[in-house]
């Protein structure tokens, strides 16, 4: 493990040896559409954030231990527009139609966005039927476990973030009377791309081998939204009981500041919402 120091900024790079498979079950598979899936073994981690974490929110409490009871594979990257279009136009409908080119920032290698939770569920269902593999969305616990990759800092990179490592709004901005910071925890100011970037373009994975877990697009999870973790499952399964008006998204996006890209940060939206910073990645359980 190496470290790079810039005043108070500490960025952590960890050696990794990832196990993965490439989904070749699609006749439509090309270099642009192949799904790279990374293996995650069972383990334990502390989910949520401590109350003294900078920009901590009540919905990240209580911090609690989760045991990931079943190993799984998860997408190395967010689902791209090329992958989305291939599934939407080639694989048969299960429950609903899919718009082949929904994204605002059109580019084959950028993450697909402007897709709803229902759209993501349909994408997984088509993959599952065609490949006969159990594709699905990650549970919220699986997503955070994969993001943290055995770290307990606000980001898997360490205590802060820079726009050389992730795509987020790295400049200050003001909306009405509210002022927002483009920096976090004494990190340096950065840039604002004003759009998504190609998946994996920062070329820095976490210790499990995943890219873009902080920023670029918010990613849908299976779970129903709850305002805190009281009563949450502790085995890594999806929390599907309760009012299903909202579903969970994780990871932050290109339009958000760094505090919204923390490993513990949670957001909710209606499952039919299509926004140009909502995307997803898949799990094969």
């Amino acid at each position: 493990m190496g470290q790079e120091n810039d005043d108070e900024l500490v960025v952590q790079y960890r050696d990794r040896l990832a196990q993965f498979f490439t989904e070749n079950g699609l006749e439509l598979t090309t270099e642009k559409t192949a799904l790279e899936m990374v293996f995650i073994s069972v383990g334990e981690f502390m989910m949520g954030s401590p109350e003294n974490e900078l920009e901590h929110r009540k919905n990240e409490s209580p911090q609690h231990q989760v045991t990931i009871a079943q190993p799984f594979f998860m997408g190395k990257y967010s689902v791209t527009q090329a992958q989305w279009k291939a599934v939407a136009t080639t694989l048969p409908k299960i429950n609903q139609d899919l718009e082949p080119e929904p994204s605002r920032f059109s580019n084959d290698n950028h993450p697909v966005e402007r897709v709803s939770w229902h759209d993501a569920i349909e994408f997984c269902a088509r993959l599952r039927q065609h490949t006969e593999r159990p594709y699905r969305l990650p549970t919220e616990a699986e997503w955070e476990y994969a993001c943290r990759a055995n770290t307990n800092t606000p980001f898997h990179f360490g205590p802060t973030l820079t726009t050389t490592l992730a795509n987020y709004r790295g400049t200050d901005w003001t909306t009405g009377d509210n002022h927002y910071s483009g920096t976090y925890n004494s990190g340096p100011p950065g840039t604002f791309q004003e759009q998504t970037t190609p998946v994996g373009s920062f070329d820095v994975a976490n210790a499990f081998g995943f890219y873009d877990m902080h920023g670029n697009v918010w990613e849908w999870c299976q779970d129903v939204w709850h305002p805190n973790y009281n009563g949450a499952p502790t085995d890594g399964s999806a929390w599907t009981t309760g009012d299903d008006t909202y579903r969970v998204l994780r990871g932050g996006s290109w339009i958000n500041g760094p505090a919204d890209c923390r490993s513990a940060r949670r957001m909710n939206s209606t499952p039919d919402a299509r926004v140009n910073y909502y995307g997803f990645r898949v799990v094969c359980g």
Side-chain angles (χ1 to χ4, degrees):
M1 180 178 71
Q3 292 187 336
E4 181 180 283
N5 293 291
D6 180 6
D7 296 326
E8 295 184 45
L9 171 64
V10 179
V11 177
Q12 300 171 356
Y13 299 90
R14 293 175 173 81
D15 294 332
R16 58 194 180 274
L17 180 62
Q19 301 178 57
F20 67 94
F21 78 87
T22 300
E23 178 55 74
N24 292 317
L26 301 174
E27 286 79 359
L28 53 86
T29 296
T30 68
E31 183 178 352
K32 285 187 177 181
T33 60
L35 277 170
E36 295 182 68
M37 304 294 292
V38 179
F39 178 74
I40 303 181
S41 62
V42 298
E44 297 179 348
F45 78 110
M46 290 300 292
M47 187 171 181
S49 66
E51 293 185 4
N52 63 353
E53 181 169 298
L54 184 63
E55 300 290 342
H56 164 86
R57 297 188 176 215
K58 291 181 179 179
N59 63 40
E60 299 162 13
S61 292
Q63 194 175 29
H64 58 290
Q65 182 170 292
V66 172
T67 298
I68 300 297
Q70 299 291 332
F72 60 97
F73 286 84
M74 192 164 86
K76 185 177 182 180
Y77 309 108
S78 305
V79 170
T80 67
Q81 293 175 37
Q83 292 164 346
W84 176 270
K85 185 175 181 179
V87 169
T89 59
T90 306
L91 300 188
K93 172 182 173 180
I94 305 297
N95 294 306
Q96 65 171 69
D97 294 325
L98 293 177
E99 167 59 46
E101 298 180 357
S103 300
R104 174 184 175 186
F105 306 111
S106 181
N107 186 298
D108 279 351
N109 293 323
H110 283 228
V112 69
E113 21 89 7
R114 293 181 66 183
V115 291
S116 70
W117 184 86
H118 291 302
D119 295 336
I121 291 293
E122 173 71 14
F123 180 96
C124 293
R126 294 189 189 190
L127 270 184
R128 187 164 58 247
Q129 176 176 274
H130 187 75
T131 65
E132 299 184 347
R133 302 184 195 269
Y135 281 102
R136 58 177 173 80
L137 289 179
T139 71
E140 186 177 12
E142 288 171 341
W143 193 96
E144 187 171 327
Y145 181 63
C147 176
R148 288 191 178 280
N150 294 329
T151 64
N152 57 15
T153 47
F155 310 94
H156 67 68
F157 296 112
T160 192
L161 195 61
T162 80
T163 54
T164 62
L165 298 173
N167 180 19
Y168 64 92
R169 189 190 292 241
T171 57
D172 295 351
W173 75 102
T174 299
T175 301
D177 294 330
N178 298 317
H179 179 75
Y180 300 94
S181 176
T183 65
Y184 181 88
N185 199 22
S186 301
T191 59
F192 180 29
Q193 302 276 358
E194 300 187 48
Q195 65 170 14
T196 59
T197 48
V199 299
S201 59
F202 290 91
D203 199 30
V204 182
N206 71 9
F208 284 176
F210 295 104
Y211 291 80
D212 307 318
M213 298 299 284
H214 303 300
N216 219 12
V217 289
W218 286 97
E219 297 181 356
W220 289 110
C221 295
Q222 287 187 45
D223 302 56
V224 168
W225 171 259
H226 293 80
N228 55 55
Y229 287 131
N230 291 321
T234 58
D235 61 356
S237 61
W239 198 0
T240 57
T241 58
D243 182 357
D244 64 356
T245 302
Y246 299 99
R247 296 284 173 166
V248 174
L249 297 111
R250 300 297 298 263
S253 78
W254 62 270
I255 203 170
N256 297 104
D260 286 334
C261 300
R262 292 175 297 112
S263 299
R265 180 72 167 91
R266 311 172 68 220
M267 193 176 76
N268 68 79
S269 190
T270 56
D272 59 351
R274 296 183 176 99
V275 183
N276 60 26
Y277 43 87
Y278 288 0
F280 69 103
R281 68 182 74 206
V282 296
V283 158
C284 189

